[in-house]
Amino acid sequence: MKILVINCGSSSLKYQLIDSNTEEALASGICDRIGIDGELKYQPAGCEKNVTKVAIPNHEVAVKLLLEALTNEKNGVIKSLDEIQAVGHRVVHGGEKFSSSVIIDEEVLTQIEECVELAPIHNPSNIVGIKVIQNIMPGVPNVGVFDTAFHQTMPKKAYMYGLPLKYYDKYKIRRYGFHGTSHSFVSKRACEFCGLDPKNSKIIVCHLGGGASISAVLNGESIDTSMGLTPLEGMVMGTRCGNIDATIVEFLMSKENMTIEQVMDILNKKSGVLGITNGFSSDFRDLNDAAEAGDELADLAMEAFSYSAAKYIGGYIMSMHGVDAIVFTAGIGENDHIVRDKITSYFDYLGVEINPEVSKSRGKEVMLSTPDSKVKVCVIPTNEELAIARETVILVNNI
């Protein structure tokens, strides 16, 4: 079965065409700078990437361009759209409505639209992608896979905020968590890789990228995670502040004569390690180079990032009464050994031992800890597109 996986962002559309029998990506790419000047990146498996500058005024045009690329006579990987048997869509926020992936019908689409106020930047783009596919490929099953679904197993004590109950009752203000597709995929693969029983395991997944989140996965279920109502809560991130005293919002509005929109823009786009380095960079490659050259702010940003991650890990060890494996994934987690070393150094007291011969591994599945380590530490590259394809196949086969 050939599954098209679509991930619509506000100004981009990532995609992969996956053969579910081999679980290999036949082609992948991104439609970038939608609504600006436009760029289509398309890479068939085993071939060089094609980059085309083209006007992409909206997501409908983006979808048409990627479908044309997939069926192109020169470097397409399918002869006809009829070969695509289902489409899996990443949907960022499902609120409390969705605890698992679902076949998308009109009722489901309405419920996704009702969650727009919980994710006003992401959900509208996700909805556009769904509707465009429905129009262009009528009759082809569409599946929604939600970032928030995996974390719906959290107990109330973990997801309730210390706010008046009426705000939860009226608006469902609570912790939802994100990156759920990644946390689910990586925690399952970690059990296989580490030889753990999924039904009797204590795993902490560290999804460390520009957006970063950490989850506690007990016996295969998420029982806590660092992100909250939105992806702003949690640890220090690339440009997001993570946890701060809420009074800071009012303080900045008063002192700097800012609107709430201006303050939220700062908290989401100008804070985190970018903010700590006074706007230098949110890219950890830049920070590593600068820190090595003696830049104290770059070093401070990396320390703050690592320390905030370690605090969550420590808290989740407490919540699960122990830990079998600490797993790193996503761009920073898979590639930045300096950050990994800083984080794991906080857990020497638990008997964590890192093998120096493999600690610098980049972008591959590897056991970082020694055989004598009391806790397994490993890198598991995430593959959210494959996870979405797997969910899609299961649901479509049950239609």
Side-chain angles (χ1 to χ4, degrees), residues 113-125:
E113 289 172 340
E114 291 171 354
C115 294
V116 164
E117 63 181 359
L118 296 174
I121 296 175
H122 296 91
N123 271 34
S125 301

Side-chain angles (χ1 to χ4, degrees), residues 20-33:
S20 66
N21 295 323
T22 62
E23 295 198 333
E24 293 181 358
L26 302 177
S28 62
I30 181 171
C31 297
D32 213 357
R33 299 178 66 81

Side-chain angles (χ1 to χ4, degrees), residues 3-7 86-94 97-105 108-109 112 123 126-127 129-130 133-134 140-150 181 384 387-396 399:
I3 307 295
L4 177 61
V5 176
I6 287 182
N7 177 358
V87 182
H89 298 265
R90 178 203 180 201
V91 182
V92 168
H93 217 308
K97 300 177 186 293
F98 301 102
S99 58
S100 61
S101 303
V102 293
I103 296 285
I104 298 173
D105 55 22
V108 167
L109 196 53
I112 294 173
N123 271 34
N126 303 152
I127 292 166
I130 294 167
I133 288 291
Q134 288 177 330
V140 175
N142 288 270
V143 171
V145 181
F146 301 86
D147 274 12
T148 50
F150 181 62
T181 306
E384 294 174 273
I388 291 171
R390 287 174 174 173
E391 293 282 319
T392 301
V393 169
I394 292 170
L395 286 169
V396 171
I399 293 178

Side-chain angles (χ1 to χ4, degrees), residues 239-252:
T239 65
R240 298 175 193 148
C241 61
N243 291 341
I244 61 170
D245 185 335
T247 311
I248 293 172
V249 174
E250 180 190 24
F251 187 88
L252 287 176

